[in-house]
Amino acid sequence: MRIDILTLFPEMFPGVLGASILGRAAAGNFASYHLHDIRDFADNKHRKVDDRPFGGGPGMVMMCQPLVDAVNAAEAEDDRPATRILLTPQGKPLDQPLVEQLAEKPRLLMIAGHYEGVDERAIEQLAPLEISIGDYVLSGGELPAMVLIDAIVRLIPGVLGHEDSALEDSFAARGPDQQRLLDCPHYTRPREWAGREVPEVLLSGDHQAVEQWRQEKMLERTRARRPDLLP
Ligand code: ADE
C-alpha cells in the first residue's frame, strides 16, 4: 500500500513511521510512506498557506491553492488511484470496520488540516473522505493521520508477525455472528506476582477450556465497559 501524507509539519512523522510495526511494514515493502510539505506549493515568496477567515473570527484558514496543487502533485507521482482522506473533527468517526475497508485500498492520500480549518471550496473540489478520530479537538490532523496509518497498516496481510494476531484484537469481528468485543485479560510469567495468581484455567493446557474462558471474559468486559457494542 502506498500512503501519501500532506502536511504543514512533515517533521512530526519520521519517528512514528520508522518505529515498531509501521517501520517494519515499510522495511518489508508492505507499505510505503510519502511525505509532502504543503508549504512547498505556496505560490508566494513568503510561503504563506493560510489566511484570516472571511466574516471574521479567530484563527487562520488553510488556502485552497497550495493544498489542491499539493494533492495534484502527490497524485501524479504514481498511477494507482488514491483514496483521498481529510482528517478533521467534522469527519465520520473512525472505527474498526472503517479501518478494515481502508486496509483493502492500494493507495491512500491523507491531508492533515491545521489552524481553524481548510477553505470549504478546497474540500468540495477534492471531495475527500472526512474522518475524525474522536469527539475531541487536536491542534491538527497530523496525530490523527498517524493513528489512522497505524490502525490500517497492521491489518495488511504479512505485517504482523503472528498471522492471526489482528484477528484476536479488541473490536475484531469474531465467530459466526461477527461480534466485535473488547479483548480478554492477558497474563505472562511468573505464575504468582505480588500475591496475585494467574487464573488456573490458563495453566491447565486444556485449549477448549481456555477458549471458553476467554470468550466469557470478553463478553463480561464488554457488558461492563462498553454495553453499546452488544446487540
Ligand atoms: N483534527 C483535529 N482534531 C481532530 C480529530 N479529533 N480527528 C481528526 N482530525 C482532527
Short mmCIF file of all heavy atoms in Angstrom, two decimals, residues 45-69:
data_model
loop_
_atom_site.label_atom_id
_atom_site.label_comp_id
_atom_site.label_asym_id
_atom_site.label_seq_id
_atom_site.Cartn_x
_atom_site.Cartn_y
_atom_site.Cartn_z
N LYS A 45 6.34 34.29 -2.26
CA LYS A 45 7.71 34.11 -1.75
C LYS A 45 7.74 33.98 -0.23
O LYS A 45 8.73 33.53 0.33
CB LYS A 45 8.64 35.21 -2.27
CG LYS A 45 8.38 36.61 -1.76
CD LYS A 45 9.55 37.52 -2.17
CE LYS A 45 9.44 38.92 -1.64
NZ LYS A 45 8.32 39.72 -2.18
N HIS A 46 6.65 34.35 0.44
CA HIS A 46 6.60 34.19 1.91
C HIS A 46 6.15 32.78 2.31
O HIS A 46 6.02 32.50 3.49
CB HIS A 46 5.67 35.23 2.53
CG HIS A 46 5.99 36.62 2.09
ND1 HIS A 46 7.13 37.28 2.47
CD2 HIS A 46 5.32 37.49 1.26
CE1 HIS A 46 7.17 38.48 1.91
NE2 HIS A 46 6.08 38.63 1.16
N ARG A 47 5.88 31.93 1.34
CA ARG A 47 5.42 30.56 1.58
C ARG A 47 4.16 30.54 2.46
O ARG A 47 3.95 29.67 3.28
CB ARG A 47 6.55 29.71 2.20
CG ARG A 47 7.62 29.44 1.17
CD ARG A 47 8.90 28.80 1.64
NE ARG A 47 8.82 27.63 2.50
CZ ARG A 47 8.82 26.37 2.07
NH1 ARG A 47 8.85 26.09 0.79
NH2 ARG A 47 8.80 25.39 2.94
N LYS A 48 3.31 31.50 2.23
CA LYS A 48 2.08 31.64 3.01
C LYS A 48 1.03 30.65 2.50
O LYS A 48 0.77 30.57 1.30
CB LYS A 48 1.56 33.07 2.85
CG LYS A 48 0.40 33.46 3.74
CD LYS A 48 0.09 34.96 3.53
CE LYS A 48 -1.22 35.39 4.15
NZ LYS A 48 -1.27 35.21 5.59
N VAL A 49 0.46 29.88 3.40
CA VAL A 49 -0.52 28.85 3.01
C VAL A 49 -1.85 29.02 3.73
O VAL A 49 -2.76 28.22 3.56
CB VAL A 49 0.03 27.44 3.31
CG1 VAL A 49 1.19 27.09 2.39
CG2 VAL A 49 0.43 27.31 4.77
N ASP A 50 -1.97 30.06 4.56
CA ASP A 50 -3.20 30.26 5.33
C ASP A 50 -3.50 31.75 5.40
O ASP A 50 -2.63 32.57 5.16
CB ASP A 50 -3.03 29.69 6.74
CG ASP A 50 -1.90 30.39 7.49
OD1 ASP A 50 -0.79 30.50 6.92
OD2 ASP A 50 -2.11 30.84 8.62
N ASP A 51 -4.75 32.07 5.71
CA ASP A 51 -5.13 33.48 5.79
C ASP A 51 -6.30 33.62 6.76
O ASP A 51 -6.87 32.62 7.20
CB ASP A 51 -5.51 33.99 4.39
CG ASP A 51 -5.18 35.47 4.22
OD1 ASP A 51 -5.23 36.22 5.23
OD2 ASP A 51 -4.90 35.88 3.08
N ARG A 52 -6.65 34.88 7.07
CA ARG A 52 -7.72 35.14 8.04
C ARG A 52 -9.07 34.74 7.44
O ARG A 52 -9.29 34.85 6.23
CB ARG A 52 -7.72 36.62 8.42
CG ARG A 52 -6.46 37.02 9.21
CD ARG A 52 -6.64 38.37 9.87
NE ARG A 52 -7.12 39.37 8.90
CZ ARG A 52 -6.32 40.16 8.18
NH1 ARG A 52 -5.01 40.11 8.35
NH2 ARG A 52 -6.82 41.01 7.31
N PRO A 53 -9.99 34.29 8.29
CA PRO A 53 -11.29 33.86 7.77
C PRO A 53 -12.16 35.03 7.31
O PRO A 53 -12.25 36.03 8.02
CB PRO A 53 -11.94 33.15 8.98
CG PRO A 53 -11.23 33.68 10.18
CD PRO A 53 -9.86 34.09 9.75
N PHE A 54 -12.77 34.90 6.15
CA PHE A 54 -13.81 35.86 5.75
C PHE A 54 -14.92 35.81 6.79
O PHE A 54 -15.28 34.72 7.26
CB PHE A 54 -14.39 35.49 4.38
CG PHE A 54 -13.52 35.92 3.22
CD1 PHE A 54 -13.13 35.00 2.26
CD2 PHE A 54 -13.11 37.25 3.09
CE1 PHE A 54 -12.34 35.39 1.18
CE2 PHE A 54 -12.32 37.65 2.01
CZ PHE A 54 -11.94 36.72 1.07
N GLY A 55 -15.47 36.98 7.13
CA GLY A 55 -16.52 37.03 8.14
C GLY A 55 -15.97 37.23 9.54
O GLY A 55 -16.73 37.39 10.49
N GLY A 56 -14.64 37.18 9.66
CA GLY A 56 -14.01 37.43 10.95
C GLY A 56 -13.93 36.19 11.81
O GLY A 56 -14.35 35.10 11.41
N GLY A 57 -13.40 36.37 12.99
CA GLY A 57 -13.25 35.26 13.92
C GLY A 57 -11.80 34.91 14.12
O GLY A 57 -10.93 35.43 13.43
N PRO A 58 -11.56 34.04 15.12
CA PRO A 58 -10.17 33.72 15.49
C PRO A 58 -9.55 32.73 14.52
O PRO A 58 -10.25 32.06 13.76
CB PRO A 58 -10.34 33.07 16.87
CG PRO A 58 -11.70 32.44 16.80
CD PRO A 58 -12.54 33.30 15.90
N GLY A 59 -8.25 32.63 14.57
CA GLY A 59 -7.54 31.58 13.84
C GLY A 59 -7.36 31.87 12.37
O GLY A 59 -7.75 32.92 11.87
N MET A 60 -6.74 30.92 11.70
CA MET A 60 -6.41 31.05 10.29
C MET A 60 -7.01 29.87 9.53
O MET A 60 -7.22 28.81 10.11
CB MET A 60 -4.89 31.04 10.12
CG MET A 60 -4.19 32.16 10.86
SD MET A 60 -4.47 33.77 10.11
CE MET A 60 -3.09 33.84 8.98
N VAL A 61 -7.25 30.10 8.25
CA VAL A 61 -7.84 29.06 7.40
C VAL A 61 -6.84 28.67 6.32
O VAL A 61 -6.21 29.54 5.72
CB VAL A 61 -9.15 29.58 6.77
CG1 VAL A 61 -9.74 28.54 5.82
CG2 VAL A 61 -10.16 29.96 7.85
N MET A 62 -6.69 27.38 6.07
CA MET A 62 -5.78 26.92 5.02
C MET A 62 -6.35 27.27 3.65
O MET A 62 -7.52 26.99 3.37
CB MET A 62 -5.52 25.42 5.14
CG MET A 62 -4.48 25.09 6.21
SD MET A 62 -4.31 23.34 6.57
CE MET A 62 -3.59 22.75 5.05
N MET A 63 -5.52 27.87 2.80
CA MET A 63 -5.96 28.35 1.50
C MET A 63 -6.12 27.19 0.51
O MET A 63 -5.44 26.16 0.63
CB MET A 63 -4.93 29.35 0.95
CG MET A 63 -4.93 30.67 1.70
SD MET A 63 -3.38 31.59 1.61
CE MET A 63 -3.04 31.56 -0.12
N CYS A 64 -6.97 27.41 -0.49
CA CYS A 64 -7.26 26.36 -1.48
C CYS A 64 -6.05 25.98 -2.34
O CYS A 64 -5.74 24.80 -2.51
CB CYS A 64 -8.37 26.81 -2.43
SG CYS A 64 -9.98 27.01 -1.65
N GLN A 65 -5.42 27.00 -2.93
CA GLN A 65 -4.45 26.73 -4.00
C GLN A 65 -3.27 25.85 -3.57
O GLN A 65 -3.00 24.83 -4.24
CB GLN A 65 -3.97 28.07 -4.60
CG GLN A 65 -2.83 27.97 -5.58
CD GLN A 65 -1.49 28.04 -4.83
OE1 GLN A 65 -1.33 28.85 -3.93
NE2 GLN A 65 -0.54 27.18 -5.21
N PRO A 66 -2.58 26.15 -2.45
CA PRO A 66 -1.44 25.30 -2.13
C PRO A 66 -1.85 23.85 -1.87
O PRO A 66 -1.17 22.92 -2.30
CB PRO A 66 -0.86 25.93 -0.84
CG PRO A 66 -1.44 27.30 -0.78
CD PRO A 66 -2.75 27.26 -1.49
N LEU A 67 -2.99 23.69 -1.21
CA LEU A 67 -3.44 22.34 -0.87
C LEU A 67 -3.81 21.54 -2.12
O LEU A 67 -3.37 20.40 -2.29
CB LEU A 67 -4.63 22.43 0.09
CG LEU A 67 -5.24 21.08 0.48
CD1 LEU A 67 -4.19 20.17 1.12
CD2 LEU A 67 -6.42 21.27 1.43
N VAL A 68 -4.58 22.15 -3.00
CA VAL A 68 -5.02 21.42 -4.20
C VAL A 68 -3.83 21.13 -5.11
O VAL A 68 -3.71 20.03 -5.66
CB VAL A 68 -6.15 22.19 -4.92
CG1 VAL A 68 -6.45 21.56 -6.28
CG2 VAL A 68 -7.41 22.21 -4.04
N ASP A 69 -2.90 22.09 -5.22
CA ASP A 69 -1.69 21.83 -6.01
C ASP A 69 -0.86 20.69 -5.40
O ASP A 69 -0.31 19.85 -6.12
CB ASP A 69 -0.81 23.10 -6.09
CG ASP A 69 -1.41 24.14 -7.03
OD1 ASP A 69 -2.45 23.86 -7.65
OD2 ASP A 69 -0.83 25.25 -7.12
#
